[in-house]
Amino acid sequence: LLPAHSLGWSIIILTLLVKLLLFFPSQHALESQKKLQTIQPKIEEIKKKYKGDQQRITEETMVLWRKEKINPLQSCLPTLLQLPVLLGLFFIIKDSGSIELAKHLLYPPFMNLDWTFATQFLAILDLKAVPYAGASFFPSLTNLKIVFYGAPVPLAIASMQFFQMKMVFAAKDKKDDKKTKEKKPFAERLDSQTMMMYMLPVMIFFISGSLPNAVSLYWGASTIFSIGQQVFVNKK
């Protein structure tokens, strides 16, 4: 329905609609993450106090969560609700060459639309292209070349994700004493949050490279929106 049937701008508008629909669940999830960071010292005290008694540690942690009105599973809900959109975009772009075969699945008002899409976004990004198309898991010069030349879009998405994760754990980083961290062995410094902050962007770098750029555009627009929410939550 957009001018020139722009697939790129339609995806961005779709992203905004999805994020606005999920705004309050996402906001509660981000606030819950912040609360979890705030009470982390109390959780560490529980672990020390009941060391060796995992059942008691779990029970006391649950009591603390209820007291602070924290639901750790709350942060998963917005992500799970977005999965159908991501999967839908993936199959729409993957099968866009054979849209005629799927016209019988469309709602009646859309039966007679002109199904010609502008798949070039800002004249530089081919939304149907898969950055790492043709590459395999085996290390070879050919595969390295494919990854190297296809890296810009996945690298941009991974960088956005890293920046968002950095903001999520900003409060924790400020509270940690640098001198104390330096004294700890390297293995002890690699807690679950630190691993997630670095490993998740690496995973996204490879996953987004194996999907059409249209899915990466949705992912990138969604991440930018989430960064804005995170700024608000951090200030709050």
Side-chain angles (χ1 to χ4, degrees), residues 19 25 43 61 66 72 89 98 109 125 133 155 166 171 208 222 224:
K19 297 300 283 187
I43 293 175
T61 303
R66 282 195 294 270
L89 276 174
S98 57
L125 185 64
L155 188 61
K166 191 78 173 171
S208 60
S222 180
I224 290 171

Side-chain angles (χ1 to χ4, degrees), residues 5-22:
H5 305 302
S6 172
L7 183 61
W9 286 113
S10 69
I11 288 172
I12 290 173
I13 291 171
L14 175 66
T15 307
L16 289 173
L17 289 174
V18 170
K19 297 300 283 187
L20 288 172
L21 283 170
L22 298 176

Side-chain angles (χ1 to χ4, degrees), residues 16-81:
L16 289 173
L17 289 174
V18 170
K19 297 300 283 187
L20 288 172
L21 283 170
L22 298 176
F23 181 81
F24 290 108
S26 299
Q27 199 70 10
H28 289 313
L30 292 173
E31 288 170 1
S32 182
Q33 285 179 346
K34 275 295 170 191
K35 283 183 180 179
L36 277 171
Q37 289 178 33
T38 305
I39 66 165
Q40 195 60 36
K42 293 181 181 179
I43 293 175
E44 293 299 326
E45 286 177 15
I46 291 172
K47 288 178 180 178
K48 288 178 182 178
K49 187 176 180 180
Y50 302 105
K51 189 176 181 181
D53 189 349
Q54 189 57 47
Q55 185 177 348
R56 188 64 188 274
I57 291 172
T58 304
E59 289 172 358
E60 293 296 327
T61 303
M62 294 290 284
V63 169
L64 180 61
W65 284 345
R66 282 195 294 270
K67 184 181 176 183
E68 299 289 339
K69 298 179 180 179
I70 293 173
N71 182 4
L73 297 178
Q74 196 175 38
S75 59
C76 302
L77 181 62
T79 304
L80 291 173
L81 290 174

Side-chain angles (χ1 to χ4, degrees), residues 24-208:
F24 290 108
S26 299
Q27 199 70 10
H28 289 313
L30 292 173
E31 288 170 1
S32 182
Q33 285 179 346
K34 275 295 170 191
K35 283 183 180 179
L36 277 171
Q37 289 178 33
T38 305
I39 66 165
Q40 195 60 36
K42 293 181 181 179
I43 293 175
E44 293 299 326
E45 286 177 15
I46 291 172
K47 288 178 180 178
K48 288 178 182 178
K49 187 176 180 180
Y50 302 105
K51 189 176 181 181
D53 189 349
Q54 189 57 47
Q55 185 177 348
R56 188 64 188 274
I57 291 172
T58 304
E59 289 172 358
E60 293 296 327
T61 303
M62 294 290 284
V63 169
L64 180 61
W65 284 345
R66 282 195 294 270
K67 184 181 176 183
E68 299 289 339
K69 298 179 180 179
I70 293 173
N71 182 4
L73 297 178
Q74 196 175 38
S75 59
C76 302
L77 181 62
T79 304
L80 291 173
L81 290 174
Q82 286 184 75
L83 281 178
V85 181
L86 281 171
L87 290 170
L89 276 174
F90 170 71
F91 286 110
I92 285 169
I93 305 306
K94 185 174 77 71
D95 298 332
S96 60
S98 57
I99 193 71
E100 291 291 334
L101 300 176
K103 273 200 170 183
H104 66 285
L105 299 173
L106 298 173
Y107 293 113
F110 304 109
M111 284 287 188
N112 299 317
L113 289 182
D114 176 20
W115 287 95
T116 54
F117 305 118
T119 57
Q120 289 287 329
F121 183 61
L122 300 179
I124 54 172
L125 185 64
D126 183 1
L127 297 175
K128 291 206 299 182
V130 178
Y132 302 156
S136 66
F137 289 105
F138 298 102
S140 68
L141 187 60
T142 302
N143 289 334
L144 286 174
K145 282 183 179 179
I146 292 173
V147 172
F148 178 78
Y149 288 113
V153 172
L155 188 61
I157 302 301
S159 300
M160 289 179 198
Q161 189 63 54
F162 176 77
F163 184 67
Q164 185 191 359
M165 298 296 288
K166 191 78 173 171
M167 290 179 67
V168 169
F169 301 133
K172 175 183 177 296
D173 292 339
K174 286 177 183 177
K175 288 179 182 178
D176 286 338
D177 184 2
K178 291 183 180 179
K179 292 182 180 179
T180 306
K181 287 178 76 175
E182 286 171 3
K183 290 177 183 178
K184 287 184 179 180
F186 179 72
E188 288 184 26
R189 280 183 275 151
L190 288 177
D191 58 10
S192 58
Q193 290 184 347
T194 306
M195 289 289 286
M196 193 181 351
M197 187 168 68
Y198 290 99
M199 290 304 296
L200 187 61
V202 172
M203 288 171 60
I204 286 172
F205 175 77
F206 289 103
I207 292 171
S208 60

Side-chain angles (χ1 to χ4, degrees), residues 209-227:
S210 62
L211 299 173
N213 284 329
V215 179
S216 292
L217 181 62
Y218 172 84
W219 207 330
S222 180
T223 303
I224 290 171
F225 191 97
S226 296
I227 287 171

